[in-house]
Amino acid sequence: MEGKVLKICVDNDPILKIVASEINLEDISSNEIQQLLVDMIVTMKAAPGIGLAAPQVNVSKRIMVFQLPASRDNINGVGTPLTILINPTVTPINDSDRVSDFEGCLSVPGVKGKVLRYNKIEYTGYDEYGKFSSTIAEGWHARLVQHEFDHLNGILYPELMIEEDDLFSTNNENTFLEKWTKSAINKNWELK
Ligand code: NI
C-alpha cells in the first residue's frame, strides 16, 4: 500500500481541540484504516517528526504513530521501533515522579516549550493487525507517548506549560506571545 503525505493541521484548527473517537477493532483491517496508518507514517517521516496523532491530519480517531530515534532516547540510547497505537491507554507508574523537558509539535510550528510529564508510564494499545500490547516506557519514550496521547484528547502541549518563560521560539521571533495567551481562569495557555 502506497502512502501519501497528508496536510498537517496547525494552531487553531478545531480538530486539534476535540476528543477523538475510538476505533472499532474489527475496522482496523479495513482499507480506510490501513491506508490512514500508512499515510500517517509517510506524513510523520516527511515532516520530519518523531510522532503523529490522527487528529493532526484531520482525522478524529484514537490512532497515533511514533518512532523515537536512538539519539533522543535519554534512558538507554536505543530508541523505539516504528510503533502504531490504536485506542491507547496511558497510566503513570508513579504520580510524583515527573520531569520537565522541551517539546515541539508539528501542529504548533515555530515554538518549543518546557512541559512537565510523568517520567515512567505503562501504555497499551492495538497495532495495525489488531494485536494488543502493553509497554513500560521511561524518559523521552514516555514523554513522546504522553504528547501524542494528549492530541487524542484535544490537548496541545503549551496548554500544559506553567511559566511564560518555559516557551521559546525556534526561529528567533517572539511568535509564542503572538499566538498564545494565558487564561486567567485556569492559568494555562490558550491559542489566541
Ligand atoms: Ni504534537
Side-chain angles (χ1 to χ4, degrees):
M1 198 175 266
E2 289 239 344
K4 58 189 175 298
V5 176
L6 304 172
K7 181 173 171 282
I8 295 178
C9 303
V10 298
D11 293 338
N12 270 325
D13 195 313
I15 198 147
L16 297 172
K17 304 299 295 176
I18 59 176
V19 177
S21 310
E22 293 224 319
I23 307 286
N24 293 322
L25 297 182
E26 58 268 31
D27 292 341
I28 292 176
S29 60
S30 70
N31 278 342
E32 182 202 352
I33 298 296
Q34 292 292 311
Q35 184 69 57
L36 173 63
L37 295 173
V38 174
D39 291 348
M40 283 177 66
I41 290 165
V42 167
T43 304
M44 175 181 77
K45 289 184 171 177
I50 61 173
L52 190 72
Q56 293 182 273
V57 290
N58 206 34
V59 178
S60 194
K61 294 184 189 301
R62 301 188 79 79
I63 300 174
M64 59 198 232
V65 298
F66 63 88
Q67 183 168 24
L68 183 70
S71 60
R72 296 286 291 273
D73 184 344
N74 59 333
I75 301 298
N76 49 28
V78 296
T80 72
L82 179 61
T83 303
I84 292 168
L85 276 187
I86 296 167
N87 297 348
T89 68
V90 171
T91 309
I93 301 290
N94 177 348
D95 279 351
S96 59
D97 180 16
R98 298 201 288 169
V99 284
S100 221
D101 205 345
F102 284 99
E103 298 180 12
C105 180
L106 296 172
S107 293
V108 190
V111 289
K112 60 179 179 174
K114 213 182 208 181
V115 185
L116 196 60
R117 299 275 188 197
Y118 297 114
N119 186 42
K120 202 170 177 184
I121 60 168
E122 178 176 15
Y123 65 86
T124 71
Y126 296 85
D127 70 7
E128 65 273 36
Y129 306 107
K131 183 169 170 283
F132 181 83
S133 68
S134 172
T135 306
I136 303 285
E138 192 176 353
W140 254 94
H141 180 186
R143 175 173 296 275
L144 178 54
V145 171
Q146 289 171 84
H147 177 114
E148 301 311 330
F149 185 75
D150 278 350
H151 277 299
L152 307 183
N153 292 326
I155 297 166
L156 298 174
Y157 79 80
E159 297 168 48
L160 305 175
M161 292 187 329
I162 298 162
E163 302 293 340
E164 181 181 324
D165 290 352
D166 286 343
L167 198 116
F168 294 82
S169 169
T170 52
N171 55 10
N172 294 322
E173 290 167 23
N174 198 9
T175 49
F176 172 65
L177 292 175
E178 290 164 16
K179 285 165 79 167
W180 294 84
T181 184
K182 201 169 195 176
S183 158
I185 297 164
N186 59 19
K187 300 208 167 51
N188 288 338
W189 290 93
E190 293 176 343
L191 270 166
K192 279 179 187 167

